Amino acid sequence: MKLQFWGVRGYVPTPGAAYLEYGGNTCCVVIYGAHDELLVLDSGTGFCRFGDELMQREFGEGRGELTLLISHTYWDHLLGLPFPGLVHTPGNKLKIYGPDSTRGSLRMVYDGILSPVYSPVYGLAHMAATHSFEPISTHPLQIGRLTVRAMPLSQHKHSPIWAYRIEEHGRTVVYMTDVRYSDEQIWRKAVHFAEGATVLIHSAPYTRAEEVEDYGHSRVEDAIEVAQQARVEQLLLYHHAPTRTDAQLDALVAQYRAELVALGSSLRLEAAREGPILEV
């Protein structure tokens, strides 16, 4: 199993010279299975660049297949879907899983953001690739030889948030984003879900010392504590704040690495960056 980030920012895309090292696109993570499985976590603006890459392969000929897992329906996790050529190429197949809500199904949400008010695509009906939507559940999902498990992280009726755990040959990637540990129950569930993971991808846009009005996210310290309690091998901080420059991310990682060393922790800490392919 291999892992690649195509979008690591939260909230809004972040262009500019100060953000080139880690990248400025919003949430999109790709997992490549050992048997050619292609699994995408969230379709933020990073999905546009990834889609362009895929068009150089079988997707450009209308012979591509991928599975997309959506954690929740905020725009920074959705917005890239309608733009790359692969979704407008007949013959390509997209299977999309994610949470429905009291406001409607995942299909309705995507169709809404593609309405003529917002988009020249004019709705899902104008996407030429074959696409299907399935509500996610806690029942294990098999994608080729990848096993996917899912867990709800919030009870927000209008925007339920789910975490994903992807397993292959004893190696595990856990994806947790936009969680706020507002009570002990959510904390215990998260630790249990991440237990023994090879890699934990965890949103952490701010630290506890930073005074920001942000209601939907955990802090860097939360991510580290979950990773330690769950005995995770490697933690990749994710969903970087749009104000966090490359230099600031470097300094932040160096600070928390030093603290982990002082504690005698074996946890490996990195900040997620667009581009490199990581072996899991």
Side-chain angles (χ1 to χ4, degrees):
M1 183 163 48
K2 297 179 181 179
L3 172 67
Q4 188 176 28
F5 291 92
W6 289 84
V8 298
R9 296 283 167 179
Y11 310 101
V12 293
T14 308
Y19 308 95
L20 295 177
E21 182 183 350
Y22 288 92
N25 283 296
T26 65
C27 303
C28 183
V29 183
V30 177
I31 290 178
Y32 306 95
H35 301 277
D36 296 325
E37 298 91 345
L38 185 57
L39 179 62
V40 181
L41 295 155
D42 281 335
S43 65
T45 61
F47 187 71
C48 300
R49 289 187 57 241
F50 179 58
D52 292 341
E53 174 77 14
L54 290 181
M55 286 296 284
Q56 308 304 312
R57 295 156 47 181
E58 66 271 22
F59 286 85
E61 301 171 359
R63 298 185 293 106
E65 296 185 19
L66 66 78
T67 301
L68 177 58
L69 303 177
I70 301 298
S71 62
H72 62 297
T73 57
Y74 289 174
W75 278 14
D76 51 342
H77 297 257
L78 293 184
L79 199 54
L81 180 70
F83 297 105
L86 72 90
V87 304
H88 301 289
T89 302
N92 288 334
K93 297 178 181 178
L94 286 75
K95 196 156 192 177
I96 305 169
Y97 294 87
D100 293 339
S101 74
T102 56
R103 295 294 179 93
S105 67
L106 184 63
R107 172 183 286 277
M108 288 178 60
V109 171
Y110 268 113
D111 212 31
I113 65 174
L114 296 180
S115 78
V117 177
Y118 307 115
S119 168
V121 177
Y122 285 17
L124 290 169
H126 291 84
M127 282 174 35
T130 301
H131 51 276
S132 64
F133 288 84
E134 300 287 344
I136 196 66
S137 75
T138 55
H139 297 293
L141 175 66
Q142 204 68 34
I143 300 169
R145 299 187 192 183
L146 299 176
T147 300
V148 176
R149 305 181 193 279
M151 179 192 71
L153 277 176
S154 82
Q155 303 300 321
H156 301 314
K157 294 180 180 179
H158 303 318
S159 58
I161 297 167
W162 285 65
Y164 293 103
R165 182 182 176 104
I166 300 95
E167 302 167 349
E168 181 191 61
H169 302 318
R171 310 295 282 175
T172 303
V173 173
V174 173
Y175 182 79
M176 288 183 180
T177 183
D178 291 62
V179 57
R180 190 67 183 264
Y181 295 111
S182 54
D183 61 56
E184 185 66 23
Q185 182 182 8
I186 295 176
W187 180 271
R188 289 198 304 269
K189 285 174 61 178
V191 170
H192 178 72
F193 195 68
E195 179 66 34
T198 312
V199 176
L200 171 61
I201 302 166
H202 198 298
S203 61
Y206 302 109
T207 69
R208 290 174 183 168
E210 293 173 311
E211 295 183 5
V212 291
E213 196 169 294
D214 175 74
Y215 302 104
H217 293 274
S218 53
R219 301 302 190 244
V220 173
E221 294 88 347
D222 297 326
I224 291 172
E225 289 170 11
V226 167
Q228 289 180 302
Q229 288 191 25
R231 296 178 295 175
V232 166
E233 292 181 22
Q234 183 176 21
L235 171 63
L236 295 172
L237 303 177
Y238 180 66
H239 200 288
H240 308 317
T243 54
R244 188 88 69 195
T245 66
D246 292 337
Q248 290 169 337
L249 273 169
D250 285 341
L252 183 145
V253 170
Q255 172 192 337
Y256 286 98
R257 277 181 181 166
E259 292 183 9
L260 288 168
V261 169
L263 292 171
S265 173
S266 62
L267 177 66
R268 291 184 288 129
L269 176 66
E270 300 279 353
R273 68 180 70 211
E274 295 175 22
I277 296 177
L278 308 175
E279 290 280 354
V280 176

